[in-house]
């Protein structure tokens, strides 16, 4: 029961956070006026899903891989858009996602979850720049 409540709380947080980004206009532009951060928002959503599956390595792996795909796309968009300030958080989030994927493949769910949390911190930093 405690896990269900935790998952529901996380889901509510994801919905509130993603709506806040969309409402504030972050989904359509970056500070530099380049490409949008829509890919990063998708990366965040998948990373949040990965984090809710703390005890299930396969679910962490699937969502972390999807998050990594979107984070790499966001990195390409930041480079194309000339967003130099955004590149460091994206690079760090990608590094943490790769580590999370590697640990999830080995069944180290606790370590994978820690890397997901660190990746999310960097993603949020990018999205709010």
């Amino acid at each position: 029961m405690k896990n269900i409540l935790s998952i529901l709380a996380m889901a509510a947080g994801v919905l509130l956070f993603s709506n806040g980004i969309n409402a504030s206009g972050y989904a359509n532009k970056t500070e530099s006026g380049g490409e949008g951060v829509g890919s990063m928002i998708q990366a965040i959503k998948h990373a949040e899903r990965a984090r809710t599956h703390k005890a299930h390595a396969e679910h962490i792996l699937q969502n972390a891989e999807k998050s990594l795909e979107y984070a790499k796309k966001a990195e390409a968009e930041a480079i194309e858009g000339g967003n130099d300030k955004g590149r460091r958080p994206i690079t760090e989030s990608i590094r943490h996602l790769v580590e999370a994927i590697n640990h999830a493949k080995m069944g180290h769910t606790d370590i994978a979850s820690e890397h997901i949390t660190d990746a999310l911190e960097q993603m949020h930093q990018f999205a709010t720049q």
Side-chain angles (χ1 to χ4, degrees):
M1 187 67 173
K2 193 174 188 180
N3 287 339
I4 292 172
L5 291 175
S6 297
I7 291 171
L8 289 174
M10 291 286 232
V14 169
L15 289 174
L16 290 173
F17 178 75
S18 63
N19 286 339
I21 288 176
N22 289 334
S24 63
Y26 287 119
N28 298 322
K29 63 184 176 187
T30 61
E31 191 173 284
S32 65
E35 294 295 317
V37 294
S39 296
M40 185 54 73
I41 292 170
Q42 290 299 318
I44 290 170
K45 287 180 182 180
H46 286 285
E48 288 285 354
R49 287 184 196 139
R51 191 168 63 175
T52 62
H53 294 287
K54 287 182 181 179
H56 304 290
E58 186 167 320
H59 294 290
I60 292 172
L61 177 62
Q62 291 171 352
N63 286 293
E65 287 175 335
K66 198 68 171 167
S67 181
L68 178 61
E69 177 185 324
Y70 282 109
K72 286 181 176 180
K73 188 174 179 182
E75 180 180 45
E77 291 171 359
I79 291 168
E80 286 176 15
N83 185 353
D84 292 331
K85 288 194 278 186
R87 289 176 66 189
R88 190 198 58 76
I90 293 174
T91 302
E92 282 298 306
S93 66
I94 288 171
R95 185 180 67 77
H96 284 294
L97 287 170
V98 168
E99 286 296 319
I101 289 166
N102 291 337
H103 285 285
K105 286 179 180 177
M106 292 185 278
H108 303 155
T109 56
D110 290 341
I111 298 170
S113 292
E114 289 175 20
H115 281 289
I116 293 291
T117 300
D118 293 340
L120 278 164
E121 184 179 313
Q122 295 297 321
M123 290 180 203
H124 290 295
Q125 184 179 0
F126 171 78
T128 58
Q129 281 188 355

